Every structure is written in C-alpha cells, then in structure tokens.
Amino acid sequence: MTSLPFPLAEEPDDFSKERGRKLFAGPSEFVKGVVAMNGLPAPDRLEVCFAGRSNVGKSSLINALTGTKGLARASNTPGRTQEINFFTQGPELYLVDLPGYGYANAPLKVVEKWQKLLKQYLSGRKTLRRAFVLIDARHGVKPVDAEIMKLLDTSAVTFQCVLTKSDKVKAKEREKVLDQTRAALSKHPAAFPEIVLTSSEKGDGIATLRSIIAHLE
C-alpha cells in the first residue's frame, strides 16, 4: 500500500502539543508594518511567515494561533494591506503576515512593488524558517496561489500548505480539494510534504500548527 503524497499532518502527541501551547502562551504584539527592506526589524529570533490570497482567512488564523482577538486585522477593502506585518510571539518568535494577493483591481505598479518586496524578503531573510501558504478549503489551489509557490521555490524557502475554513466544506468535497491540492504541490520542490487542515472558527488544527512551529527551532 503506497502512502499518499502530502498526507494530512497528524495530531501532535502530548509533549509536542504542550511545547506548542507554551510557545504561544506568551504575549503577542504588533511590531510594525514594513514597506521596504530597510524597515525590517532585526533578525534576532526565529521567523515564520503566512502567505495567502485576500480573504483566505489569514488574519483569523494568526489570531487563533496567538489566542489574541483582533491582533491581525482583516481589511474590509481588498488589497489594502500592502505591508509586511510583523508580530512578536513571546521573546522567541516573529509571526510575519505577508500582503494578501490575488486582486486584479490593484494597480499594476502596486502589484509590482509588492512582488519586488516579497522577493527581496523571501530570498534575503536568514531567520525565516518556513512559509505557510494558506489555501481556502472551499476552492483549492488557484493560479495565483501557484505563483506564490513558484516564488517560494526560486527563493529556496520551504513552504507548508495550510487549508483554511475546513469546517465550511463537506467531507466529500474536502477530499476533492485535497486531491487537487496534492497534485498542485507535487510540482513544487520547496513544498513540505504535509498538509495542515484548519478551522479558525472551530479551532481545528490550531494545536497541530502551533506544534509544527514550535519544532522549527
């Protein structure tokens, strides 16, 4: 029996779960929004970043991970968040919220500026341990998601796929999306061979994701 490529991440054992809980038990604070490389905070701690198209639930996931309501704010205007937002998680970790992508109505110059900043950040940040690419469980991988995955491939940054809003789809539909996501991920050498299924609303997968981040140290 052959194992599935990109299996779902297993529920962590008690030790791993506690390690993740402790990491995220500390205070979470917004540090700054960065629009140019010279504005980046000092690379003095472990760093993970979150990428995803607008409305994928990135802010909700960061808030669920940190247990801090309203830490990351979702913008009501598509594409308004044009900065790389840094949050501290205790003294050991930066959570980095990358600009949402996928809005065709954003001006071309703005899109080009985002892309340039993202490329510089992803290829030049030595403390960045992993990128988490968020995919809406209702829709699967879209062409714009494949673009960010390609960027991560060329930047040699390991990325892990996180399916969001998993509670919004029935099991049968979710399996179809998982099959499509696995097929898409198989084309990317930088993809970590495990998918995390989450629901920020229900709390599903949050302990798993905390544990994964805690073990990147």
Side-chain angles (χ1 to χ4, degrees):
M1 183 179 168
T2 55
S3 59
L4 272 173
F6 300 97
L8 291 178
E10 291 181 4
E11 183 83 11
D13 60 29
D14 289 345
F15 173 80
S16 299
K17 196 179 281 188
E18 180 61 10
R19 193 172 169 185
R21 187 199 67 76
K22 277 184 177 171
L23 177 63
F24 282 89
S28 313
E29 291 178 4
F30 173 69
V31 180
K32 66 191 301 193
V34 174
V35 293
M37 287 293 284
N38 59 10
L40 291 175
D44 58 1
R45 65 192 72 195
L46 183 86
E47 211 163 289
V48 295
C49 69
F50 298 85
R53 62 181 183 268
S54 303
N55 287 347
V56 76
K58 199 149 44 76
S59 298
S60 299
L61 184 71
I62 291 171
N63 293 339
L65 276 172
T66 60
T68 310
K69 216 172 186 180
L71 178 70
R73 290 188 176 87
S75 171
N76 292 325
T77 306
R80 178 175 283 174
T81 311
Q82 298 170 19
E83 301 172 335
I84 297 179
N85 290 310
F86 280 77
F87 303 90
T88 54
Q89 176 53 56
E92 300 168 27
L93 179 67
Y94 275 132
L95 302 175
V96 185
D97 184 5
L98 299 181
Y101 55 82
Y103 274 99
N105 59 354
L108 187 60
K109 280 188 178 177
V110 170
V111 173
E112 286 172 351
K113 189 181 172 188
W114 289 352
Q115 287 175 339
K116 186 180 176 187
L117 180 59
L118 280 178
K119 282 177 187 172
Q120 288 175 327
Y121 167 72
L122 292 170
S123 59
R125 195 69 170 168
K126 289 185 171 66
T127 45
L128 179 62
R129 287 291 180 275
R130 188 168 297 176
F132 293 97
V133 176
L134 277 51
I135 303 294
D136 192 320
R138 299 170 299 180
H139 307 303
V141 177
K142 300 282 188 185
V144 73
D145 297 313
E147 286 303 311
I148 198 83
M149 290 175 187
K150 274 187 207 167
L151 179 57
L152 288 158
D153 286 338
T154 57
S155 303
V157 176
T158 301
F159 71 86
Q160 187 161 5
C161 178
V162 177
L163 285 185
T164 61
K165 307 182 183 183
S166 64
D167 59 308
K168 308 289 185 193
V169 287
K170 291 177 179 170
K172 195 175 176 183
E173 289 305 310
R174 194 165 63 215
E175 284 309 311
K176 282 183 191 172
V177 168
L178 276 169
D179 287 344
Q180 186 260 5
T181 301
R182 286 175 176 127
L185 289 173
S186 67
K187 298 170 186 171
H188 297 280
F192 186 80
E194 234 179 33
I195 295 170
V196 188
L197 206 58
T198 66
S199 163
S200 299
E201 201 173 294
K202 307 280 187 188
D204 299 342
I206 299 302
T208 303
L209 193 48
R210 284 174 177 164
S211 172
I212 288 167
I213 293 170
H215 281 77
L216 291 175
E217 294 175 274

